[in-house]
């Protein structure tokens, strides 16, 4: 999770925050950047928190996906002496509005390259040359800008996100293998939204998550390679502390006969030493008793 001042942010997949790599902070821009590992087909959400429990102003988190504005999420001000619960101090952006009564969840998708695919939503052959320089500078980035705002009223959803995929020319140097996509459409009632006005000219903080497949991050030296067991290393068998005789049950166990023989020899030596000590103690006791009788 990234942090700046009292603000925290992360990309969440399967209920867990993705690990951040190569975190950089730019105080002059109030910006924090990092890299995360994307997996095609996975649904994700943008989550942010404000741990300033004395906050008495509204703020929004505006989300930009591959350079395209996806929408925002309002975090209302805390009332005086209001308990700072998780719900009141956390916001999550996980859908985009694609029509007045439909939403689609955010997903990581494979980038479509011209020369290999047709636009399935248009059913026409793509003019490849027009996409040669079409890769947006922010392709492969999820940006979250936190703004203080004033609430000015209610309205209906007007900022709609086009439900088409991102396409770039296969020879474009900016091309990555992943992009932000959308899941299956979900029908909802007409969405009312809260209209706000930004306060100031710059956001309080901007968090930028640059995403690539994990293998690419490892290859570029951004993420450490996964720890793998050394080849040729055998797993040690559990130690059995029972008597050796217990193993000789015809179950086909692989027993070291030489070690058993040595163990039996040692046991015999211990037994002889115990008998010798016992005999010595008896002799000493007899001598002591005899001495006592003479002294009388």
């Amino acid at each position: 999770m990234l942090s700046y001042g009292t603000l925290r942010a992360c990309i969440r997949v399967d209920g867990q925050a993705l690990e951040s790599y190569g975190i950089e902070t730019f105080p002059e821009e109030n910006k924090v950047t990092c890299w995360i590992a994307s997996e095609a087909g996975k649904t994700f959400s943008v989550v942010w928190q404000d741990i300033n429990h004395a906050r008495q102003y509204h703020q929004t988190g505006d989300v930009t996906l591959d350079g395209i504005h996806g929408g925002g999420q309002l975090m209302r001000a805390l009332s005086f002496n209001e308990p700072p619960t998780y719900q009141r101090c956390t916001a999550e952006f996980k859908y985009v509005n694609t029509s007045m009564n439909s939403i689609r969840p955010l997903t990581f998708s494979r980038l479509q390259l011209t020369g290999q695919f047709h636009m399935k939503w248009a059913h026409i052959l793509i003019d490849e040359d027009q996409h040669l320089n079409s890769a947006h500078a922010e392709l492969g980035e999820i940006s979250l800008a936190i703004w203080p705002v004033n609430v000015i009223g209610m309205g209906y959803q007007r900022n709609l996100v086009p439900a088409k995929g991102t396409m770039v020319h296969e020879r474009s140097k900016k091309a990555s293998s992943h992009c932000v996509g959308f899941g299956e459409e979900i029908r909802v009632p007409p969405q009312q939204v809260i209209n706000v006005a930004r306060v100031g000219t710059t956001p309080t903080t901007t968090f930028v998550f640059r995403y690539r497949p994990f293998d690419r991050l490892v290859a570029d030296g951004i993420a450490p390679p996964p720890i793998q067991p050394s080849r040729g290393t055998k797993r040690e068998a559990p130690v059995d502390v029972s008597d050796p005789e217990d193993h000789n049950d015809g179950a086909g166990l692989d027993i070291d006969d030489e070690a058993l023989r040595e163990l039996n020899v040692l046991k015999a030596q211990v037994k002889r030493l115990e008998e010798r000590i016992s005999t010595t103690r008896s002799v000493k006791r007899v001598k002591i008793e005899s001495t006592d009788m003479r002294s009388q």
Side-chain angles (χ1 to χ4, degrees), residues 3 19 41 50 57 61 70 93 106 163 200 218 274 291:
S3 62
E19 185 169 356
D50 190 346
Y57 53 88
F93 183 87
L106 306 177
V218 173
E274 289 176 342
T291 303

Side-chain angles (χ1 to χ4, degrees), residues 38-236:
S38 55
E39 183 177 348
K42 283 289 188 180
T43 301
F44 72 89
S45 62
V46 184
V47 182
W48 59 285
Q49 298 176 323
D50 190 346
I51 61 174
N52 177 12
H53 298 163
R55 175 179 48 83
Q56 296 184 0
Y57 53 88
H58 308 301
Q59 53 189 353
T60 61
D62 289 345
V63 177
T64 302
L65 309 165
D66 292 338
I68 299 173
H69 183 254
Q73 195 74 24
L74 176 68
M75 183 183 292
R76 287 186 173 274
L78 294 173
S79 302
F80 183 70
N81 287 335
E82 179 184 0
T85 63
Y86 175 85
Q87 289 78 8
R88 295 287 284 110
C89 298
T90 306
E92 183 173 14
F93 183 87
K94 52 185 177 181
Y95 301 105
V96 294
N97 292 84
T98 53
S99 74
M100 293 293 291
N101 57 353
S102 66
I103 59 175
R104 298 178 69 175
L106 306 177
T107 64
F108 290 117
S109 302
R110 296 190 183 280
L111 185 67
Q112 295 186 23
L113 303 178
T114 63
Q116 297 180 0
F117 302 96
H118 293 91
M119 293 178 65
K120 61 182 180 181
W121 53 85
H123 303 290
I124 60 173
L125 184 66
I126 297 171
D127 181 1
E128 297 182 15
D129 292 337
Q130 69 176 333
H131 294 281
L132 184 57
N133 297 313
S134 64
H136 199 283
E138 297 177 18
L139 178 64
E141 291 185 1
I142 300 167
S143 175
L144 171 68
I146 312 296
W147 291 83
V149 296
N150 291 323
V151 174
I152 58 177
M154 300 291 295
Y156 283 97
Q157 181 63 251
R158 290 179 299 176
N159 298 323
L160 304 178
V161 178
K164 64 180 181 179
T166 301
M167 302 195 69
V168 299
H169 197 285
E170 59 185 350
R171 297 196 306 271
S172 174
K173 295 181 181 180
K174 298 177 183 179
S176 172
S177 58
H178 287 172
C179 65
V180 172
F182 310 116
E184 293 296 324
E185 184 178 81
I186 302 172
R187 305 296 292 181
V188 295
Q191 298 292 291
Q192 275 200 318
V193 297
I194 301 173
N195 295 322
V196 299
R198 292 175 177 175
V199 176
T201 58
T202 57
T204 304
T205 306
T206 301
F207 297 104
V208 179
F209 301 89
R210 299 187 174 104
Y211 61 89
R212 297 290 187 277
F214 181 73
D215 292 344
R216 173 71 179 274
L217 296 182
V218 173
D220 291 345
I222 297 171
I227 300 176
Q228 298 179 349
S230 301
R231 292 183 177 180
T233 302
K234 295 183 178 180
R235 185 178 178 181
E236 295 183 358

